[in-house]
Amino acid sequence: MTASFSAVLRAIGVAEDELPNVGQLPGDPGSGAGRNPGLLGRLQLPSLSREQLRWLKPGPKRISAIVLLGGILYFGIIGRNRYQVTSDFIVRLPQAPNSVTPSLLGTVLAGPTMLGSLEDGRFLAVYLTSPEVMKRVFVKLEPEVSYARAGFDPFAGMPTPANFDQKLAFFRRQVTVVPQDLTGVIQMTTTGLKADTAYKLNRLLLDEAENFLNTSNQNISRNQQRFAEQELDVARQRLAKAQLDLASFNDAQGDVNPEARAAATSSYITALETRLVDLQVEEGRLRRQFLDPSSPEVIYVTDQIIELKNQIEEERSKLVGPDAMNFNQLLNQSRNLTTEVAFAEASVKAAQLAADNSRLESQRQLKFLVLLSNPEVPAMQSLDWRWKGFLSMVGLILVGWGMASFVLGITRRQ
């Protein structure tokens, strides 16, 4: 009996002298009649064979069996039910470009390519799992109640109390957004511990996705429209300033159009020069007719020529002279101001056209969410997580078993 109990103690790794207040069994050598028999005397253990004692020692097979049994119990019995809700949608433009052939669904669902929806799906995958969305959704779902831990399952549900990082990590585990590369369809799956919780989460996220598309498109369109209108206001202010400067210049010069005035003066000088040439021809004829140059006829024409030359010089000095009527500088200033006015008018026309195009383009580029499959309240629990978790555990056991066998094999060879 003592030998069997000592073998049990050695099997579990405990020495007899480590037990407090342990006495010898009756009949053992050295046992006194008046001594307390102690723990060994009070224990009545059956005799165990060596094969039975071998089962008390931990081994890889027993550990694997225990882990596998625990996995079967958790994933088959203890684990709480999970419910999943899936919805499919796509992001499309209201009108298809002329270069794209409409799809079978018609021009309403026709978009440029599925790449646009795929790109929007990637944006939505990040946005729908963002902290901002988590805050708004969790306020409506009350996760302390809908995702609270209950029963014997230590893993299902959100820990209480939970900080912000734990809530965010838990929320992201409940939401999966996967854009399909071939079709551009966006598939969103939500998980809940109750059927109605998973359904509400899916509906709330669909509303968030639609609001995100509408808000982002409206903000972009609003910013573009505001920028175009600001540019239009700047162009109009520039035109008003240019027109005011030109009017002030004309008022200062006392003329509506200095260039027309300069052209009239030039024409007047040209007419005087033509008259001068005629008088000079007439003077030559009279000098040949009258041999005396002091004759009244010749003097009369000569005086006209002298007076006409003086008049021409005076008119020319008004055009290019250094006095206040220097038409060259006035014309340069007038032409610069006129050019500024013309450029400002062209800028106003271009800005007005850009504003109109921006408004029309913003309405044409508005995106909207098209539901291909509406979410429904699940009637049965989802078994995916059970068999996936069990298979993952079996895979880990096999990998651990292989690594342990490899290490033990190397150790035994050494």
Side-chain angles (χ1 to χ4, degrees):
M1 180 69 178
T2 305
S4 300
F5 187 75
S6 300
V8 173
L9 294 178
R10 287 194 299 272
I12 63 177
V14 179
E16 292 184 19
D17 53 0
E18 296 178 358
L19 293 175
N21 194 18
V22 176
Q24 297 179 348
L25 293 174
D28 288 344
S31 61
R35 295 181 62 182
N36 185 6
L39 178 61
L40 294 179
R42 292 191 298 270
L43 291 175
Q44 299 295 328
L45 297 176
S47 59
L48 299 176
S49 64
R50 182 173 298 179
E51 295 296 332
Q52 291 174 341
L53 292 174
R54 188 176 299 172
W55 281 96
L56 298 177
K57 295 182 180 181
K61 295 181 179 179
R62 295 175 181 83
I63 294 175
S64 300
I66 293 173
V67 173
L68 186 61
L69 180 60
I72 293 174
L73 290 176
Y74 177 76
F75 292 107
I77 301 175
I78 300 176
R80 297 175 62 184
N81 296 338
R82 271 79 160 174
Y83 298 90
Q84 289 185 349
V85 177
T86 301
S87 58
D88 298 326
F89 58 91
I90 196 169
V91 179
R92 276 293 178 258
L93 297 173
Q95 295 180 357
N98 296 329
S99 60
V100 178
T101 303
S103 65
L104 295 177
L105 298 178
T107 59
V108 176
L109 296 182
T113 54
M114 60 89 183
L115 296 178
S117 179
L118 188 62
E119 183 180 3
D120 293 329
R122 295 192 179 99
F123 293 152
L124 289 175
V126 177
Y127 174 74
L128 292 178
T129 56
S130 62
E132 293 78 8
V133 175
M134 184 268 292
K135 292 178 183 178
R136 291 194 293 269
V137 169
F138 268 5
V139 168
K140 301 177 181 178
L141 282 181
E142 299 180 355
E144 293 79 5
V145 178
S146 58
Y147 285 99
R149 291 185 175 180
F152 299 99
D153 191 347
F155 303 107
M158 189 175 63
T160 304
N163 55 30
F164 179 80
D165 294 335
Q166 290 175 335
K167 290 182 180 179
L168 181 60
F170 177 79
F171 173 74
R172 287 175 175 174
R173 289 195 299 269
Q174 313 308 311
V175 181
T176 304
V177 182
V178 180
Q180 304 295 327
D181 295 337
L182 297 179
T183 60
V185 177
I186 305 168
Q187 186 179 74
M188 182 174 64
T189 304
T190 55
T191 305
L193 300 177
K194 297 180 181 179
D196 57 343
T197 302
Y199 173 76
K200 290 179 181 178
L201 179 59
N202 199 290
R203 291 301 312 178
L204 289 174
L205 291 180
L206 286 176
D207 295 339
E208 289 289 339
E210 190 171 4
N211 292 334
F212 172 74
L213 291 175
N214 294 334
T215 303
S216 60
N217 288 323
Q218 288 175 2
N219 291 336
I220 294 173
S221 302
R222 189 181 301 111
N223 293 333
Q224 292 177 349
Q225 187 65 25
R226 185 184 300 113
F227 176 76
E229 291 177 355
Q230 290 177 355
E231 292 297 319
L232 180 59
D233 293 338
V234 171
R236 288 175 176 173
Q237 293 176 3
R238 184 175 182 179
L239 176 60
K241 183 178 181 302
Q243 291 175 344
L244 181 61
D245 293 340
L246 180 59
S248 300
F249 174 78
N250 293 333
D251 293 340
Q253 299 302 321
D255 198 350
V256 176
N257 191 350
E259 187 172 359
R261 182 181 177 185
T265 305
S266 298
S267 301
Y268 177 66
I269 294 174
T270 302
L272 292 179
E273 289 177 346
T274 303
R275 177 61 179 167
L276 177 61
V277 171
D278 294 338
L279 290 177
Q280 288 176 346
V281 172
E282 181 67 17
E283 181 186 19
R285 186 184 65 78
L286 291 175
R287 287 181 181 275
R288 289 191 298 270
Q289 181 179 358
F290 299 97
L291 298 178
D292 186 7
S294 60
S295 61
E297 290 83 359
V298 176
I299 294 175
Y300 176 74
V301 175
T302 302
D303 291 341
Q304 287 183 349
I305 292 174
I306 295 173
E307 186 65 26
L308 191 57
K309 287 182 178 180
N310 293 334
Q311 185 67 27
I312 292 174
E313 292 296 332
E314 182 178 356
E315 294 298 331
R316 284 181 176 176
S317 65
K318 293 179 181 180
L319 288 177
V320 297
D323 54 357
M325 297 299 293
N326 192 343
F327 275 97
N328 286 334
Q329 296 181 0
L330 295 178
L331 286 177
N332 289 333
Q333 295 179 8
S334 177
R335 288 170 181 172
N336 291 335
L337 293 174
T338 304
T339 303
E340 181 67 21
V341 171
F343 182 78
E345 290 177 349
S347 299
V348 169
K349 293 179 181 179
Q352 183 66 50
L353 181 61
D356 296 339
N357 292 336
S358 177
R359 183 175 60 257
L360 296 176
E361 187 68 16
S362 62
Q363 294 177 357
R364 191 180 68 86
Q365 292 295 331
L366 286 177
K367 298 178 181 180
F368 60 97
L369 187 145
V370 180
L371 276 176
L372 302 180
S373 64
N374 293 319
E376 298 292 341
V377 179
M380 299 179 60
Q381 64 168 316
S382 175
L383 300 177
D384 293 347
W385 72 276
R386 295 185 184 273
W387 63 265
K388 286 181 180 179
F390 180 74
L391 292 179
S392 300
M393 186 189 63
V394 172
L396 291 176
I397 292 175
L398 294 177
V399 172
W401 183 274
M403 294 181 62
S405 301
F406 178 75
V407 173
L408 290 176
I410 294 177
T411 304
R412 290 175 181 176
R413 290 179 182 178
Q414 292 179 351

